Amino acid sequence: MHAADAFVAALRADLGPDRVVTDPEVAATHAVDWTGRFHGVPPAVVRPRTVDEVAAVVATAIEHGIALVPQGGNTGLVGGATPCDGEVVVDLRALAAVTDVDPVGGQLTAGAGTTVADVQAAARGAGWAYGVDWAARDSATVGGSVATDAGGLRFVRHGSTRRQLLGVEAVLGTGATIRHLPAVEKDNTGYDLAALLCGSEGTLGLVTAARLRLVPPAGPLATALVGFASTAAAVEAASVLRRSLAGLEAVELVLADGVALVRSVTGLPAPLAAEAPVLLLVEAGDHVDPERRLAEAVAGLDGVLDAAVAVDGPRRAQLWRYREEHTSAISTVGPPHKFDVTLPAAALAAFIDDVPDVVAAVAPSARTWCFGHAADGNVHVNVTGLAPDDEAVADVVLQRVADLGGSISAEHGIGRAKRRWLHLARTPSEVGAMRAIKAALDPHGLCNPAVLLPPP
Ligand code: MLT
Ligand code: ZN
């Protein structure tokens, strides 16, 4: 019997037939990544409901030599959860419970399949907030957020997922289950395994639950969309706001061509009376007159062409759409190549201005779209009009980032898309240390084997 068939038969006998799906139509719904760039044909999709069932999946995979790709909401953007090489998909969405909410200490435990929106709702219900947020909140899951160390829209205030993480439960590639979900904030008992698994992209094991730190809720929010005369002025403004505006929650950057695309897809009206080449979306919370404080802060910035400030929910939501609709609007042009990069603050504006020419030099008919998290130096360079396997653009864009002292992955992960360029961000000894960790925790090499680390 073929190894995959034997794996399926053994797991069906163990977990029940409905937990192991081989119907090609169902498998196809797990076979393509969100961008449409990465495809695969998984021989099976398994749907464990508990950590013990996940442990059974890993034990059976070890026995039959089957590679596994964990998947949650399938909102990843670098092919990190796509079974391109015939791996079995482990769909973790059934592990979706929020438990052990501590409204006094401000913590909760979320199963890997819990959506980010459900964590946020549970946090609100306990009188707190969850510090990580991004547009795919309704489908993206805690497991994927931990696996990629997702950052998102509130990074400037609360940091990435790693900073929210107090502990994890996971099934390692060894087959062992580790569980450290502490009820305390301060805990320095040895190696921080949660931090190690965070950002490991499923290459060491499958995260099944996370103990998450909650944050104090923001005060009433004001949101501004501010048009600038230049990228340099917008980037400088982001730095000024970080230093001077208390309660700053987000500073997001969009460009005129991206806003025009969003408008053509959504039918939104022009955001400002004046045309601006670069715009910042700024949000801040304050218990005393947030609108006035934000308007005053914006008025003190250099290079502002026009601005709109809102405090009521629907108008704030509309301003956010000019930013949040970028991902789906760009996808209407074609499957994008996503370069999720961070630059040192001093290099950010020139990089954003230059990168379309860097791309055009090797791909003249491609289009380059930039937007991102200005306060974090994190710009999402999206390139449409490329063949799925194009590498020339990645070569020049990622090399430019490395030359400027930046990182080739800020929050999406390395995935399949960028593993060939890991050497631009990590030294040979660092990659060697990562391989040693991988060999120790995934000795059979079955956990997301084609992701993050390049082939030796
Ligand atoms: C975002 O910032 O909107 C997300 O990282 C998604 C994306 O880059 O498309
Ligand atoms: Zn982002």
Side-chain angles (χ1 to χ4, degrees):
M1 203 191 306
H2 191 272
D5 296 334
F7 168 83
V8 166
L11 209 53
R12 279 191 171 143
D14 200 358
L15 304 188
D18 59 322
R19 296 292 109 196
V20 187
V21 182
T22 51
D23 177 346
E25 276 185 31
V26 177
T29 65
H30 298 267
V32 185
D33 80 313
W34 192 92
T35 67
R37 182 180 165 199
F38 297 96
H39 306 251
V41 184
V45 176
V46 299
R47 295 180 164 155
R49 289 159 295 195
T50 63
V51 60
D52 290 342
E53 290 191 351
V54 175
V57 171
V58 173
T60 312
I62 291 170
E63 193 181 328
H64 296 276
I66 295 295
L68 303 172
V69 169
Q71 205 178 82
N74 200 13
T75 58
L77 299 170
V78 288
T82 317
C84 297
D85 298 312
E87 300 91 336
V88 164
V89 170
V90 186
D91 177 356
L92 292 160
R93 286 177 300 172
L95 283 83
V98 173
T99 56
D100 300 307
V101 179
D102 177 358
V104 180
Q107 303 181 355
L108 56 76
T109 297
T114 316
T115 65
V116 171
D118 283 346
V119 173
Q120 293 168 347
R124 269 195 305 278
W128 294 79
Y130 182 53
V132 176
D133 183 37
W134 70 97
R137 61 185 74 81
D138 289 321
S139 15
T141 58
V142 166
S145 180
V146 171
T148 56
D149 185 21
L153 303 164
R154 312 279 165 186
F155 180 96
V156 63
R157 185 156 185 82
H158 302 297
S160 66
T161 302
R162 190 175 279 132
R163 206 189 287 172
Q164 328 304 317
L165 201 55
L166 294 164
V168 290
E169 175 190 78
V171 180
L172 301 176
T174 57
T177 298
I178 57 166
R179 183 179 295 111
H180 187 64
L181 302 169
V184 292
E185 278 266 338
K186 269 183 121 168
D187 171 20
N188 68 353
T189 50
Y191 296 157
D192 189 343
L193 299 177
L196 174 63
L197 287 170
C198 189
S200 67
E201 304 188 32
T203 59
L204 304 178
L206 285 78
V207 172
T208 52
R211 185 77 181 156
L212 298 171
R213 172 185 288 120
L214 306 179
V215 299
L221 293 168
T223 308
L225 196 63
V226 190
F228 289 87
S230 68
T231 318
V235 168
E236 172 62 23
S239 171
V240 170
L241 290 166
R242 278 177 65 205
R243 278 172 278 165
S244 61
L245 187 57
L248 187 64
E249 288 276 323
V251 187
E252 296 290 307
L253 178 140
V254 293
L255 302 181
D257 60 350
V259 171
L261 179 66
V262 165
R263 289 185 57 208
S264 74
V265 171
T266 60
L268 282 167
L272 301 172
E275 298 238 343
V278 187
L279 299 96
L280 288 186
L281 185 140
V282 183
E283 188 157 273
D286 198 306
H287 288 283
V288 184
D289 204 349
E291 186 172 17
R292 184 179 57 79
R293 278 196 56 243
L294 183 54
E296 282 174 4
V298 168
L301 300 171
D302 290 334
V304 174
L305 298 176
D306 199 359
V309 181
V311 281
D312 68 285
R315 178 70 181 133
R316 285 184 41 242
Q318 189 186 28
L319 293 182
W320 268 105
R321 288 191 70 195
Y322 293 103
R323 162 64 180 88
E324 288 202 327
E325 298 277 357
H326 267 67
T327 304
S328 51
I330 290 166
S331 283
T332 66
V333 182
H337 286 230
K338 296 249 175 198
F339 304 107
D340 156 45
V341 300
T342 338
L343 279 301
L348 180 62
F351 174 82
I352 293 172
D353 288 342
D354 293 349
V355 73
D357 290 340
V358 171
V359 172
V362 294
S365 59
R367 291 204 64 180
T368 302
W369 313 87
C370 289
F371 64 95
H373 314 288
D376 320 336
N378 177 189
V379 55
H380 297 307
V381 181
N382 287 231
V383 182
T384 52
L386 297 178
D389 58 353
D390 181 275
E391 295 195 334
V393 169
D395 273 337
V396 292
V397 170
L398 300 179
Q399 186 65 57
R400 171 66 63 105
V401 170
D403 291 345
L404 293 169
S407 168
I408 65 165
S409 181
E411 59 175 13
H412 293 172
I414 296 290
R416 288 172 181 270
K418 286 180 282 184
R419 68 179 182 144
R420 196 164 89 57
W421 292 272
L422 187 63
H423 65 278
L424 293 176
R426 295 303 181 118
T427 62
S429 16
E430 283 182 297
V431 175
M434 291 189 203
R435 287 195 200 285
I437 292 168
K438 167 96 174 157
L441 300 189
D442 180 28
H444 313 281
L446 300 177
C447 293
N448 224 1
V451 162
L452 178 49
L453 292 167

